[in-house]
């Protein structure tokens, strides 16, 4: 498609697709081909004011906030069904915009639909209670919505993370403004259209693509925004938290990670050694990527060999091809950054066993592809062992004994995810309790479940998404005391 033929996507405010007040628009790219997918309106501060005013008036109008639990649940269920009905189109759009394999996108779109279904089911279960009090009367608590919530989303899982925020926020009766990442706004905009089709009143869900430094920051300081839910880098999350502090906004942050995959010598080595997508899934652009692998010395050589062999077999290619396992990175600039980390690893003396370069050939020359890099003999002080690379680069290190494994695992500023591989149940329980992380999986890389809280400790964030805990972030507890006479 010629750049001039690319469709135009507007902002979504008050149920209408509109251009930005300034008229600004920006091309959105396919990182696997370099083609322009669409021109998207770029919101500015005036659009933030309009969207927040709309969200506030829809909230105060009460059509959604005061809808019964059953009415809200029905709209969320209809939205889940509409996502399923449009799943293939959404998955292909996500893959074209992010560069990720279409199989991964299908899973994420399916998870988005399940997320609305899950929170529809939670609505009637999540309320206040009666409280026995030592005074003559009755104590009651209510769960009230917070008000206008600003939801800021990164580019790596654009649709899934949007649904993780929008579904619980709407379930509790809030009105929201979503700020998608500039690189990947397309499926969020489609979600907005589907929500209207599902019967969500106009103005309850507003979507504002635009530069984070302007739009995200304006939302973080807007006096009518009561809550910010941010997913992105630790650096920007920290700045959002500071901006939100003056108004004592409710803030939840899902930030970066440097998660550890801890492999003991008694583990099922065939499974542990083949778990390359625990770090290379989504081309390593995953906050949960197990970008450090700690292996007990007795199994170290065997593990490295297995991991390298499975990496050698990875199919890098066209994201829309069902056989592809790794697509493109989000942009040439990001690939350059990732490659810089690989050069740093080599310079600091880590052993590059495979990958760490740009593949060549027709398809590869058009997009931001990169060969997954496996480093062995990494030491904890190296840059590649400490910093979040957010690309397909893994650092493998040996350890001796449980205590050293725990010390190494805890030896970064992050604490988001992780895996542990062992057949010893006692050790599994000791180690999962000792690792400073919000989430950890045993004998699998699968750690994100809709029904379970997800989030980090240390500089990986504050608060939990998913599960019933997300509803706590999108509601306020109100205590009511009724005198006995
Ligand atoms: P990012 O640069 O921090 O951006 C995240 C979002 O914040 C984008 O929508 C961005 O808009 C916006 N933003 C940028 N500057 C802002 C500012 N000054 N004020 C308010 N908002 C601002 O992160 P990213 O590069 O998109 O995503 C990668 C990072 O996200 C990684 O560190 C990764 O670990 C983290 N992440 C964490 C989780 C989790 O659940 N813990 C999940 C996924 C990703 P623009 O796109 O316009 O810049």
């Amino acid at each position: 498609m010629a750049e001039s033929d690319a469709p135009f996507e507007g902002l979504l405010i008050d149920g209408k697709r509109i251009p930005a007040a300034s008229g600004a628009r920006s091309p959105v790219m396919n990182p696997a081909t370099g083609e322009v997918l669409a021109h998207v309106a770029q919101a500015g501060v005036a659009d933030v004011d309009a969207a927040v005013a709309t969200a506030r008036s829809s909230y105060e109008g009460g059509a959604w906030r005061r809808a019964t639990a059953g009415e809200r649940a029905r709209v969320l269920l209809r939205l889940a069904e509409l996502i399923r009905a449009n799943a293939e189109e959404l998955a292909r759009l996500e893959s074209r915009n992010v560069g990720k394999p279409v199989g991964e996108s299908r899973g994420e779109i399916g998870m988005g639909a399940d997320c609305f279904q899950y929170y529809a089911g939670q609505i009637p279960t999540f309320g206040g209670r009666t409280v026995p009090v030592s005074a003559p009367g009755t104590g009651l608590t209510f769960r009230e919505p917070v008000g206008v919530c600003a939801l800021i989303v990164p580019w790596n899982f654009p649709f899934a993370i949007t649904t993780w925020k929008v579904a619980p926020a709407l379930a509790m009766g809030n009105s929201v403004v979503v700020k998608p990442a500039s690189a990947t706004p397309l499926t969020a905009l489609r979600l907005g259209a589907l929500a209207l089709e599902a019967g969500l009143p106009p103005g309850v869900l507003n979507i504002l693509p635009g530069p984070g430094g302007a739009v995200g920051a304006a939302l973080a300081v807007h006096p009518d925004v009561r809550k910010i839910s941010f997913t992105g880098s630790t650096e920007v999350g920290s700045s959002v938290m500071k901006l939100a502090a003056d108004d004592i906004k409710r803030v939840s942050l899902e930030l970066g990670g440097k998660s550890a995959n801890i492999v003991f010598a008694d583990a099922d080595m065939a499974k542990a050694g083949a778990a390359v997508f625990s770090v290379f899934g989504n081309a390593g652009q995953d906050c949960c990527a197990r970008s450090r692998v700690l292996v007990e010395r007795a199994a170290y050589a065997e593990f490295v060999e297995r991991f390298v062999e499975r990496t050698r077999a990875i199919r890098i290619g066209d994201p829309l091809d069902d056989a592809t396992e790794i697509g493109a990175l989000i942009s040439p600039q990001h690939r350059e950054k990732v490659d810089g980390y690989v050069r740093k690893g080599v310079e600091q003396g880590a052993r590059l066993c495979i990958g760490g370069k740009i593949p060549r050939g027709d398809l590869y020359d058009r997009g931001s592809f990169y060969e997954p890099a496996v480093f062995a003999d990494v030491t904890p002080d190296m840059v590649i062992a400490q910093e979040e690379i957010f690309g397909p680069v893994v650092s493998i290190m040996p350890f001796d004994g449980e205590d050293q494994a725990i010390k190494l695992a805890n030896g970064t500023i992050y604490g988001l995810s992780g895996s542990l591989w062992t057949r010893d149940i006692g050790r599994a329980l000791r180690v999962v309790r000792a690792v400073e992380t919000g989430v950890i999986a045993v004998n699998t890389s699968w750690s994100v479940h809709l029904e379970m809280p997800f989030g980090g400790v240390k500089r990986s964030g504050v608060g939990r998404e998913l599960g019933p805990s997300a509803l706590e972030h999108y509601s306020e507890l109100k205590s009511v005391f009724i005198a006995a006479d």
Side-chain angles (χ1 to χ4, degrees):
M1 186 193 311
E3 181 171 338
S4 53
D5 298 337
F8 173 68
E9 299 276 354
L11 315 174
L12 180 67
I13 300 181
D14 202 13
K16 297 177 202 74
R17 294 231 166 269
I18 53 167
S22 68
R25 49 171 68 189
S26 173
V28 168
M29 312 300 292
N30 178 337
T33 62
E35 83 182 300
V36 176
L37 289 173
H39 296 282
V40 175
Q42 292 295 288
V45 174
D47 304 293
V48 169
D49 288 342
V52 173
T54 298
R56 183 175 165 178
S57 97
S58 78
Y59 181 74
E60 288 172 349
W64 181 247
R65 169 165 63 116
R66 296 208 192 89
T68 65
E71 285 163 350
R72 269 185 276 135
R74 270 193 293 280
V75 171
L76 296 197
L77 283 174
R78 269 202 298 273
L79 180 50
E81 284 315 313
L82 283 169
I83 293 170
R84 290 188 185 112
N86 292 277
E88 189 59 20
E89 175 226 323
L90 285 164
R92 293 177 79 81
L93 184 60
E94 191 82 321
S95 280
R96 291 170 75 215
N97 195 179
V98 186
K100 67 172 71 192
V102 69
E104 286 183 27
S105 295
R106 287 187 187 115
E108 290 160 27
I109 302 297
M111 190 190 202
D114 291 348
C115 188
F116 283 102
Q117 179 176 315
Y118 173 77
Y119 284 107
Q122 288 292 309
I123 293 172
T125 71
F126 193 78
R129 60 189 194 102
T130 56
V131 186
V133 288
S134 49
T138 305
L140 301 171
T141 59
F142 291 87
R143 282 277 171 189
E144 306 284 9
V146 180
V148 176
C149 304
L151 313 176
I152 303 179
V153 178
W155 48 258
N156 58 339
F157 296 105
F159 189 80
I161 291 178
T162 301
T163 66
W164 294 7
K165 297 181 189 300
V166 170
L170 294 184
M172 295 313 297
N174 299 286
S175 289
V176 308
V177 178
V178 175
K179 206 308 266 176
S182 293
T184 58
L186 300 181
T187 50
L189 290 167
R190 282 290 290 133
L191 179 71
L194 294 176
L196 290 168
E197 199 179 329
L200 190 72
V204 175
L205 169 59
N206 304 280
I207 303 185
L208 285 191
V215 175
L219 287 167
V221 294
H222 199 295
D224 289 340
V225 170
R226 296 269 177 82
K227 175 179 168 70
I228 301 270
S229 172
F230 172 88
T231 300
S233 60
T234 294
E235 190 189 4
V236 176
S238 162
S239 89
V240 164
M241 199 175 201
K242 286 180 197 129
L243 291 176
D246 279 350
D247 295 335
I248 321 290
K249 287 185 185 15
R250 278 67 186 132
V251 176
S252 45
L253 304 172
E254 300 288 347
L255 309 174
K258 191 74 189 174
S259 300
N261 199 353
I262 308 169
V263 183
F264 283 91
D266 70 342
D268 179 336
M269 218 37 74
K271 276 194 190 161
V276 294
F277 292 102
S278 65
V279 55
F280 298 146
N282 206 29
Q285 303 165 123
D286 182 344
C287 52
C288 293
R290 276 61 156 189
S291 51
R292 296 179 300 146
V293 187
L294 317 176
V295 188
E296 197 165 21
R297 201 172 299 277
Y300 182 74
E302 179 190 350
F303 179 92
V304 172
E305 194 183 325
R306 284 180 184 272
F307 205 90
V308 169
E309 282 322 300
R310 180 61 186 92
T311 301
R312 200 183 304 286
I314 288 176
R315 292 183 295 266
I316 309 170
D318 176 0
L320 297 180
D321 179 341
D322 281 327
T324 292
E325 293 178 304
I326 291 191
L329 300 190
I330 191 68
S331 65
Q333 298 77 1
H334 187 59
R335 177 173 67 177
E336 212 168 290
K337 190 174 152 208
V338 170
D339 191 54
Y341 274 109
V342 170
R343 299 304 127 227
K344 190 79 189 168
V346 171
E347 186 189 308
Q348 291 193 321
R351 175 159 61 92
L352 181 59
C353 304
I354 188 170
K357 57 184 197 301
I358 296 172
R360 291 290 171 210
D362 183 36
L363 167 79
Y364 297 141
D365 292 345
R366 281 180 283 141
S368 304
F369 294 89
Y370 198 73
E371 290 183 13
V374 178
F375 278 107
D377 306 346
V378 175
T379 54
D381 53 315
M382 290 179 184
V383 169
I384 58 168
Q386 290 297 325
E387 294 186 14
E388 183 184 45
I389 298 173
F390 222 57
V393 181
V394 71
S395 298
I396 310 183
M397 326 177 207
F399 71 80
D400 298 293
E402 228 170 277
D403 287 349
Q404 196 190 8
I406 293 164
K407 190 160 177 250
L408 285 172
N410 291 343
T412 74
I413 59 170
Y414 298 109
L416 183 58
S417 189
S419 290
L420 166 64
W421 301 79
T422 179
R423 289 187 169 102
D424 178 338
I425 185 74
R427 166 185 283 153
L429 286 170
R430 282 193 301 277
V431 176
V432 295
R433 298 298 300 273
V435 175
E436 294 171 334
T437 184
V439 178
I440 188 162
V442 179
N443 294 330
T444 176
S445 309
W446 193 3
S447 55
V448 178
H449 302 271
L450 272 183
E451 302 80 2
M452 291 187 70
F454 173 77
V457 302
K458 295 169 31 184
R459 290 194 215 172
S460 286
V462 57
R464 294 290 179 271
E465 297 202 299
L466 300 180
S469 19
L471 298 172
E472 291 168 16
H473 291 293
Y474 293 105
S475 59
E476 299 276 13
L477 265 180
K478 180 183 284 173
S479 292
V480 176
F481 177 71
I482 303 172
D485 48 26

